[in-house]
Amino acid sequence: MTDPTADMPLAASSEGPRHKSLTRRRFWQVGAAVAVSAGTASLLHGQFAGAATAATSQDYFDRAAKLAGDNPILTDLITALTSGFTVPHPTAPDPLKIFDDLAVLSVGWVSATAILTSGGIILIDSLTSPSDAQNTIVPGLKALGADPSTIKYVVVTHAHGDHFGGAQYLADTYGARVLMSPADWTTLATSKPANAPARDLDISDGQQLTLGTTTVTLHYTPGHTPGTVSPIFPVHWQGTAHTAMLWGGTNPPTATTDKQTYLSSAKTFGSLMKRAGVDVELSNHPFCDYGLERMQELSGTPDTADNPFVVGTSDTQLFMQVVRAMVNGRILQDQESADSAAAGTTRAVALAAITPRTAGCGC
């Protein structure tokens, strides 16, 4: 998302998190996987193969809704991926360790995630500005008993200001190294936005970043931006090991070809998640996945054995199936809009050709 979310219109809101427990909730499963569209003019494959007519965008949106059922993580995701979605500005939560070794530092609509390793801190994203870094990230870490001076790396998931905004402050103040994909470093060099960090370290696809005994694997998932990166990394809850993912860029881009890139990334990342045994779903925009509500639930029962961010391996796959269904629908929605506009032009031309014309008097 751009700073200040130019890719999604903002709407101020004073509403806090909804109060709806997710403890012990299991996602409603639907067996067949969502197919991947081969292009905007193609017939749908997979679930809709063999249908008498080409499927529509609504078919895919209905598919996503069926997959989601009444699960708030997935219904929030569907809402966030719907065309015209307006970004909320919920109340910022208190800093919270959502795992033994993972903390969330949030301004409400966007979050930074701190991986607490034996060798220091790897920070995923840095909020919107130097002020956010100074007034949210730094005191938030201190409140949780972590030392911000041990931030060694800031991994920027993509080149939008709400993710890189505090990175240079952290580099200047604590000597943290800033990582971004080459494509998004190039985007910053071209656009020169406010608070852009100086180019530092390039992320390579599949790069393993190790600090202490923790290794984070960084995967290219272009689409939201040309160089979006999504990490997979280990976490622990009450001493039990889990594997987490964070989908690096949520809102589908405007151009249809970029949506197709996004779709391909979602399919590839889902396969990587399956291979890694990912059972924890995270987002840098907590309004997209019921994240604020899950934080509230966890803060109220910090000793619970049932961490609401641990959703299971099959259910993290379901999350990505919903992403693919929605983006497939958005791609077909683009095509339907283009077809409708073309049909309107054709009708106008045809009507013009048969409408009687009266010569002007020339006076």
Side-chain angles (χ1 to χ4, degrees):
M1 296 183 184
T2 55
D3 185 16
T5 60
D7 56 344
M8 293 185 185
L10 291 174
S13 170
S14 59
E15 294 180 359
R18 287 165 290 172
H19 303 278
K20 186 173 181 182
S21 175
L22 194 67
T23 301
R24 298 185 182 277
R25 179 186 291 273
R26 302 297 295 168
F27 287 3
W28 178 38
Q29 302 285 329
V30 175
V34 176
V36 176
S37 172
T40 58
S42 303
L43 296 181
L44 302 187
H45 301 290
Q47 177 192 358
F48 303 114
T53 59
T56 67
S57 60
Q58 192 59 51
D59 290 324
Y60 269 122
F61 298 147
D62 291 346
R63 167 67 170 165
K66 187 176 181 181
L67 286 167
D70 64 353
N71 187 279
I73 295 174
L74 300 181
T75 56
D76 271 10
L77 178 63
I78 287 172
T79 300
L81 293 173
T82 298
S83 178
F85 171 68
T86 300
V87 174
H89 268 181
T91 301
D94 291 335
L96 183 68
K97 288 177 70 174
I98 62 171
F99 287 90
D100 302 343
D101 43 12
L102 192 72
V104 174
L105 311 152
S106 182
V107 294
W109 64 279
V110 64
S111 300
T113 305
I115 303 172
L116 311 174
T117 83
S118 60
I121 297 171
I122 298 173
L123 190 68
I124 309 297
D125 290 333
S126 59
L127 302 181
T128 72
S129 66
S131 176
D132 278 353
Q134 185 175 12
N135 298 318
T136 298
I137 294 174
V138 170
L141 288 171
K142 290 179 178 178
L144 297 173
D147 183 356
S149 70
T150 66
I151 299 174
K152 304 300 183 185
Y153 298 106
V154 179
V155 175
V156 179
T157 56
H158 61 274
H160 286 164
D162 50 327
H163 300 271
F164 67 68
Q168 192 61 51
Y169 172 86
L170 298 171
D172 292 341
T173 305
Y174 302 117
R177 305 300 301 272
V178 180
L179 296 84
M180 202 182 307
S181 69
D184 275 15
W185 278 124
T186 298
T187 296
L188 292 187
T190 302
S191 59
K192 296 180 172 57
N195 301 321
R199 185 162 187 163
D200 191 1
L201 301 177
D202 287 355
I203 296 172
S204 59
D205 190 18
Q207 175 180 341
Q208 293 190 322
L209 177 64
T210 299
L211 185 61
T213 58
T214 300
T215 297
V216 179
T217 306
L218 304 170
H219 298 285
Y220 285 179
T221 52
H224 181 69
T225 66
T228 299
V229 170
S230 298
I232 292 176
F233 51 94
V235 292
H236 296 80
W237 181 244
Q238 298 183 355
T240 299
H242 298 278
T243 303
M245 57 75 86
L246 189 151
W247 184 235
T250 302
N251 190 40
T254 300
T256 303
T257 54
D258 292 338
K259 290 187 182 77
Q260 292 170 323
T261 298
Y262 184 115
L263 180 61
S264 178
S265 292
K267 182 179 181 182
T268 299
F269 191 61
S271 297
L272 293 166
M273 288 166 51
K274 185 174 183 179
R275 190 181 311 162
V278 168
D279 62 346
V280 172
E281 178 277 322
L282 303 170
S283 174
N284 46 25
H285 285 288
F287 59 79
C288 292
D289 69 342
Y290 207 64
L292 293 173
E293 293 86 347
R294 287 189 281 171
M295 287 179 67
Q296 184 177 61
E297 178 184 341
L298 193 57
S299 67
T301 55
D303 297 324
T304 180
D306 297 314
N307 187 313
F309 290 94
V310 179
V311 298
T313 55
S314 61
D315 300 336
T316 57
Q317 289 295 305
L318 185 60
F319 183 92
M320 296 309 297
Q321 288 178 35
V322 171
V323 170
R324 296 198 300 271
M326 288 300 296
V327 177
N328 257 319
R330 292 284 298 273
I331 290 169
L332 282 180
Q333 199 171 51
D334 289 351
Q335 183 62 44
E336 289 159 2
S337 295
D339 290 347
S340 177
T345 299
T346 299
R347 285 194 297 272
V349 170
L351 286 171
I354 62 175
T355 298
R357 297 178 182 275
T358 302
C361 69
C363 56

